[in-house]
Structure formats: C-alpha cells, structure tokens
Amino acid sequence: MEGITTFIYRNIYDRYYGNIDKYYTPFVTAKKLKGRELNEVMPEHNEGLNVVPQILTNNAETFIEITKQLENMGYTEVNFNLGCPSGTVVNKHRGAGFLSVPDDLKYFLDEIFNECNIDISIKTRLGVNNLDDWPEILKIYSEYDIKELIIHARLLSEGYGGYVHTDMFNLAKDILSCPLCYNGDITDEKSFEKIYKECDSPDAIMIGRGAIANPELSYSLKSFYLNNNTFNTDSDNVNYSNGNIDNIIFENKKGKKSDNQVIFKEFHNELYIAYKEYMSGEVPVLFKMKELWNYWSNSGNFPNNEKLLKKIRKSKNLREYESIVTTIFN
Ligand SMILES: Cc1cc2nc3c(=O)[nH]c(=O)nc-3n(C[C@H](O)[C@H](O)[C@H](O)COP(=O)(O)O)c2cc1C
C-alpha cells in the first residue's frame, strides 16, 4: 500500500507478526528504478521475505525495462497494477483507468507477455463504472498466461467503499484458468468466513487495510481457517494465499495472543525508531506515524483511548507524540 507498507514496515511487521505468504510492494513507475522506488525492491531490503514488486504504467516499454531490472535482482514474478483509483493515475489511463481503453490494454498486454521472461500477475478492479464491462475484461485476460489474477471486487468508481461484488469474483472462475486471489474488505474472522464462502474457496486472499489496522489479522485468520471445520481443509484446495499448509506458523512471531498489547508496543517502538533513523526531519516521521494511527485507532484495539488518539492526530512534534503514545501504552 502506497506510503504505508514501506520496506521498513514490511520487515518489522514480518518479524513481529508474519504469517503472510507473499508481500506486494507499493507500485513503482519509473523506467530506471532509483530513489524511493529502488529502496522498496532492493533485495537487501527484503531479505527472507517473499516479495513481488508491483509496476504501474501504461507504457509497455517502461514495463519491460523495469521488469528486466527486477529480473536482474533475482525476482521471478512482477505484478501489474490495474486497480489504482487515484485521480492523477486514472486521468492518464493508468491503474484502473487503463480498463477504460480496452484496445490499448490488449496491445500493452500483447507486448509485455511476449517480451518479459518472468511471471506476470495482475491486480485488477472489475471495470470503470459499469459491471457489464467485467466479462469483456475477463475475456481479454483469458488470452494471456497470467500467473495469478488478484481481484479487488469493486469498480474504479466505487473507490474503497460500499459493497464488494463477490458474484463478479465467481464469474472470473468460469472464464479463467489461472489462480484467482480475492481482495477487498476482509477485516476479521467474520468477514473472512462470509467472503471465503461467497467466493467458493478462492485460491488465495489478499488483505490490505485490515492487516494494517490489526497486525494480528494474518495470524488470527490462519488459525481460524485451520481450526474451523466449516472450511474444507481435506480437499486439495487447502492452500491459503498460495502458501504451503505445512509452513503455516500457529503463533505470532513474538509470543502468544495474551501478549498482544506488549507485542504491539514493541512493534510500534521499533517502527518509530526505524523511521526516525531513515527519514530526515521530524515532520515526515510524525506524518508517517499519524498515518498509521489512522488505521490502528479504527481497529477497536484502543477502545478507551479516544481522547488520546485525537491528541495524536493533533500532535505538533515528536516530543508531544512520544508523551501521548507512552500514556496509551501504559
Ligand atoms: C492508502 C492506500 C494505498 C494503496 N496502495 C496500493 C498500491 O500501491 N498497490 C495496490 O495494488 N493497491 C494499493 N491499495 C489498495 C489495496 O491494496 C487494496 O486493494 C484495497 O485497499 C482493498 O483491500 P482491503 O479492503 O483489504 O484494504 C492501496 C490502498 C490504500 C487505502
């Protein structure tokens, strides 16, 4: 997630919580990887993690060039972003905006699938503003050897809110033979169970905001999945998020459930120190931490701290921030 799941976040998250089979980087766009984008994908910054870099562009040459650099770094898969709804991206027919020009999209996909040597997976929305376009988009995808299709089950026009169209996910099953990963609004065991059933056991699930708000989510969903008889774990279709069932870790990495608050405090502190070391100046660090608290404070994990959470949002410097956070954790 752009601005949130940085390589710093990813590494520290994995050490404290983990239970994620595959991480996707925020999208990169520049033909020659450098600066922030290079930092995200550098193998030295992703050691021991299964990471798939994501590319956002509508220029096949740029995609192919970036893919070559990633291949040289040792990556075997890249992900193509057809889901971003941001105005500046969509206006240029990139991200989900690329879905509005299907002929250009076909030409682009022809080029990249012909030229790239490594696997290409796609993250898509269902269309721009009309669900009737989805079958046509699926027909386009069916012509390519897509490693995996991740479906954020919303239209571009629906942004990040409203209902997810699980029926449209199922339509993809009828048309495509590649593995399908469901994405959208999985925030707890209840939503996971409902969506998993509605989507008739998807090959994998991707979680975004839910896992930021509640870092324990990956652990709790895996335990729930494996310990709940309503999931058909006897069948061949048991792989969860493309992972090997034997490798699933039953505990979060730093301890057991009862230590939740202590683990979160340590996780927060390590993140905070890392951002202070990595970023220059107080303001960007404060901004980064506030962005994270926007998610954490909506998770229900801090029920009696509303006033303090408000104070975090209003804090003007790191001294103020530290004092409020200390009160929350004590
Ligand atoms: C702030 C923000 C940044 C995001 N950045 C990306 C991104 O770089 N690449 C991507 O594929 N999706 C990105 N997404 C979309 C999420 O990956 C995900 O598809 C979406 O939030 C729906 O899933 P969720 O309900 O589990 O969060 C972003 C979402 C948000 C809110």
Side-chain angles (χ1 to χ4, degrees):
M1 287 169 63
E2 178 67 10
I4 297 173
T5 55
T6 61
F7 76 92
I8 290 178
Y9 185 92
R10 194 155 57 241
N11 278 278
I12 297 175
Y13 176 89
D14 194 75
R15 256 187 297 117
Y16 279 85
Y17 296 102
N19 285 296
I20 299 281
D21 299 301
K22 236 187 212 183
Y23 292 94
Y24 293 81
T25 68
F27 59 75
V28 298
T29 57
K31 198 168 178 178
K32 172 95 186 74
L33 290 168
K34 57 181 181 343
R36 185 191 62 76
E37 294 192 342
L38 181 60
N39 272 320
E40 278 308 321
V41 297
M42 276 165 68
E44 303 89 294
H45 287 171
N46 292 292
E47 267 170 32
L49 305 178
N50 186 13
V51 171
V52 177
Q54 186 184 67
I55 302 173
L56 181 141
T57 182
N58 58 8
N59 182 309
E61 200 188 317
T62 300
F63 188 98
I64 293 161
E65 276 307 310
I66 298 176
T67 300
K68 276 185 197 154
Q69 293 162 65
L70 294 168
E71 190 184 351
N72 287 337
M73 291 179 196
Y75 287 102
T76 56
E77 178 185 344
V78 290
N79 182 262
F80 176 44
N81 183 319
L82 285 172
C84 181
S86 146
T88 48
V89 166
V90 166
N91 286 345
K92 293 179 190 148
H93 292 159
R94 297 186 300 164
F98 209 170
L99 300 173
S100 67
V101 282
D103 288 340
D104 293 356
L105 178 61
K106 263 190 265 184
Y107 179 78
F108 174 94
L109 293 175
D110 278 347
E111 293 279 303
I112 65 165
F113 277 92
N114 271 334
E115 292 295 325
C116 293
N117 299 321
I118 58 176
D119 289 332
I120 301 171
S121 56
I122 293 180
K123 166 110 180 278
T124 188
R125 287 199 181 228
L126 304 172
V128 176
N129 48 32
N130 192 340
L131 289 174
D132 292 343
D133 295 336
W134 180 229
E136 200 52 42
I137 293 168
L138 286 173
K139 225 171 109 204
I140 296 176
Y141 293 153
S142 71
E143 287 167 30
Y144 303 95
D145 187 16
I146 297 172
K147 165 85 171 164
E148 179 175 39
L149 185 69
I150 304 166
I151 301 171
H152 179 189
R154 287 192 173 93
L155 294 164
L156 159 61
S157 58
E158 292 171 318
Y160 292 105
Y163 290 108
V164 281
H165 305 278
T166 46
D167 51 335
M168 295 293 138
F169 181 87
N170 288 329
L171 189 63
K173 285 190 169 174
D174 299 337
I175 297 178
L176 301 179
S177 55
C178 67
L180 298 178
C181 172
Y182 172 87
N183 170 240
D185 285 10
I186 294 180
T187 53
D188 53 20
E189 291 167 2
K190 201 167 151 223
S191 53
F192 169 61
E193 185 172 23
K194 180 172 179 289
I195 285 173
Y196 193 87
K197 284 183 178 157
E198 282 177 11
C199 292
D200 194 19
S201 312
D203 297 305
I205 59 154
M206 171 185 265
I207 45 178
R209 293 165 296 178
I212 306 297
N214 174 16
E216 289 270 338
L217 187 63
S218 54
Y219 158 75
S220 68
L221 293 188
K222 278 198 171 171
S223 314
F224 181 65
Y225 176 80
L226 291 172
N227 294 322
N228 190 323
N229 292 335
T230 62
F231 298 112
N232 181 14
T233 50
D234 289 337
S235 79
D236 286 343
N237 194 21
V238 292
N239 68 320
Y240 178 102
S241 292
N242 282 347
N244 180 342
I245 207 92
D246 297 331
N247 288 336
I248 287 174
I249 302 158
F250 274 93
E251 288 176 8
N252 64 35
K253 291 200 166 172
K254 292 269 172 168
K256 294 213 173 71
K257 198 93 178 136
S258 56
D259 302 328
N260 256 359
Q261 288 294 349
V262 179
I263 293 165
F264 182 76
K265 179 181 166 185
E266 286 175 13
F267 169 64
H268 165 277
N269 290 350
E270 202 168 317
L271 254 183
Y272 177 58
I273 289 166
Y275 277 132
K276 278 210 298 187
E277 274 171 19
Y278 182 69
M279 300 177 111
S280 53
E282 286 207 8
V283 176
V285 179
L286 193 58
F287 182 80
K288 190 62 88 189
M289 297 314 293
K290 284 184 183 181
E291 214 176 358
L292 287 168
W293 277 104
N294 276 337
Y295 288 88
W296 295 335
S297 58
N298 286 323
S299 66
N301 287 339
F302 302 95
N304 303 316
N305 282 309
E306 258 140 49
K307 277 190 185 154
L308 287 168
L309 294 168
K310 214 170 173 181
K311 278 190 177 174
I312 287 188
R313 271 177 232 125
K314 289 190 170 167
S315 59
K316 292 191 189 67
N317 55 51
L318 293 185
R319 203 166 45 85
E320 235 180 82
Y321 173 81
E322 283 173 24
S323 137
I324 302 160
V325 165
T326 306
T327 316
I328 288 180
F329 286 143
N330 287 335

